[in-house]
Amino acid sequence: MPRRLLAVLLLLLWTMTTHGQSDTVTNALQSTALDSQQLQLVHALVSQYAPDGEAAIALLDGEHTHYLGARREAGRVVTVDNHDRAFAIGSISKVFTATLLANMVEDGRLRLTDRVETAYDFPFADSSSFTYQQLANHTAGLPRLPSNIGLTFIDPYHDYTPDKLEAYLRNELTLDAQGQSAYSNLGAGLLAYTLTHKLDSTTYAAALREYIFDPLGMDRSSDGPDSTRADLVQGYTIDGSQPAYWHFTDAMAGAGGIVSTPADMVRFLRAQCDTTDRILALTRTPTVELQGPQAVGLGWQILQPEPGRTVYWHNGAVGGYRAFAAVDVENALGVVVLTNVLLMGQEVDATGMQLLRSLGK
């Protein structure tokens, strides 16, 4: 999508009013913490789902956190407790991958401007060269996906192994329009793989646990194990069918492999509000300015939707799940929307943006 159009879309998501099937689906949501407008926003989203579709909402409002779980049943949307249930968060994983990078930078183990290819014992195809910062802000010139992935929509990443990634780097890698912003799942996967397997001798799961999850008390988050995880909410398509769960090897896990809960995601957003944390502050530092009121940090997308408000956000979509997280650090406001339905439109993002906007009033 052209960046000018993306800027317009983001501002529309901030201001628009959602419209679902709320006129035909009874709103049975109950909450003493959310106001009527916020409840209606959640109802409008979940009323579009087939039965058993649900959303888990977390609102960070200063020192307070409010949760709401909503599930579609036959003819109505009801309240459920899912604040500690697990959902796949998809591409929000990229923010965590960038946080691993920031940790290594602050620890003095590398610089953002270091060249990625120097971590490998073979040259990249076409003499390709790019930095760690370029991987984290999508300006390396990489395609969205590697050409040797053999992509299908049914568990598309499960057999894309580190051997295949390294073969791609050796033989097929080409760059295009380096320096311009072009969203790349490949770039995030390569970043995580290089940090954990080349600059260190660990795994993505172990690095997340050591440097992010354990320090922040995110005990119920992980590099998505498999669909047998006991607290994992079953994912659905919009028509109510159950798609295959998406598995990731360490070649691409950094692009979308994490499973988390609303409560754990709040811990991550609340940590962002500690402006003395140099590692997290580095991830929020703009590294490339885009058209309109938007920029990219390390992992985070950055939006200034109105004077006095800067929103750091990311979304995610994998088989059976769609997610959104955003934080306004200056005002200590944040929102998490985790769903077990893969909507292909902007409904989840719009709901998240509007909930965050409602907190600033």
Side-chain angles (χ1 to χ4, degrees), residues 45-309:
L45 173 66
V46 179
S47 66
Q48 302 174 64
Y49 297 169
D52 294 325
E54 63 184 83
I57 309 296
L59 302 181
L60 187 160
D61 190 354
E63 297 181 355
H64 304 287
T65 303
H66 308 298
Y67 296 103
L68 175 68
R71 179 182 297 153
R72 172 70 189 272
E73 294 185 350
R76 63 179 187 161
V77 176
V78 301
T79 305
V80 294
D81 181 5
N82 55 14
H83 79 283
D84 230 7
R85 298 291 304 280
F87 297 75
I89 65 170
S91 287
I92 299 175
S93 303
K94 293 177 174 68
V95 179
F96 290 86
T97 297
T99 304
L100 294 179
L101 170 62
N103 196 297
M104 284 193 171
V105 171
E106 287 297 315
D107 199 33
R109 298 175 65 182
L110 59 78
R111 296 170 299 177
L112 290 175
T113 54
D114 285 348
R115 294 283 159 178
V116 175
E117 67 273 10
T118 63
Y120 290 77
D121 59 5
F122 56 85
F124 287 179
D126 202 27
S127 300
S128 298
S129 179
F130 39 80
T131 68
Y132 290 95
Q133 177 171 291
Q134 288 176 318
L135 289 183
N137 68 14
H138 304 283
T139 61
L142 291 168
R144 192 179 188 93
L145 292 168
S147 55
N148 65 342
I149 197 170
L151 189 66
T152 68
F153 201 67
I154 301 174
D155 201 3
Y157 299 100
H158 76 281
D159 63 350
Y160 195 75
T161 61
D163 285 345
K164 290 182 178 180
L165 175 60
E166 293 200 12
Y168 170 81
L169 296 174
R170 288 176 187 266
N171 304 314
E172 300 184 35
L173 173 60
T174 59
L175 304 181
D176 182 53
Q178 189 174 79
Q180 297 182 22
S181 182
Y183 193 82
S184 175
N185 287 325
L186 168 61
L190 177 59
L191 176 59
Y193 177 71
T194 306
L195 294 177
T196 56
H197 289 262
K198 298 299 178 179
L199 299 181
D200 206 338
S201 56
T202 185
T203 64
Y204 186 59
L208 289 171
R209 180 62 52 198
E210 178 178 357
Y211 294 109
I212 303 175
F213 294 159
D214 282 351
L216 295 182
M218 298 176 65
D219 297 332
R220 299 177 74 85
S221 299
S222 61
D223 173 23
D226 56 44
S227 57
T228 65
R229 178 173 163 147
D231 61 347
L232 183 70
V233 177
Q234 172 65 52
Y236 293 94
T237 64
I238 189 63
D239 64 3
S241 60
Q242 296 182 8
Y245 184 83
W246 287 14
H247 301 82
F248 293 81
T249 75
D250 265 14
M252 291 294 289
I258 293 177
V259 169
S260 190
T261 68
D264 271 7
M265 288 299 299
V266 164
R267 294 179 177 97
F268 186 65
L269 295 189
R270 193 169 291 284
Q272 304 294 326
C273 296
D274 177 6
T275 55
T276 66
D277 189 314
R278 292 170 56 88
I279 293 171
L280 297 181
L282 180 57
T283 67
R284 299 191 307 273
T285 302
T287 58
V288 57
E289 300 291 337
L290 306 177
Q291 288 185 338
Q294 57 177 329
V296 182
L298 299 178
W300 287 111
Q301 304 291 313
I302 304 171
L303 177 69
Q304 293 182 308
E306 58 188 48
R309 298 202 70 174

Side-chain angles (χ1 to χ4, degrees), residues 18-33:
T18 55
H19 296 283
Q21 300 172 12
S22 55
D23 55 337
T24 59
V25 179
T26 301
N27 187 347
L29 292 174
Q30 298 180 353
S31 173
T32 58

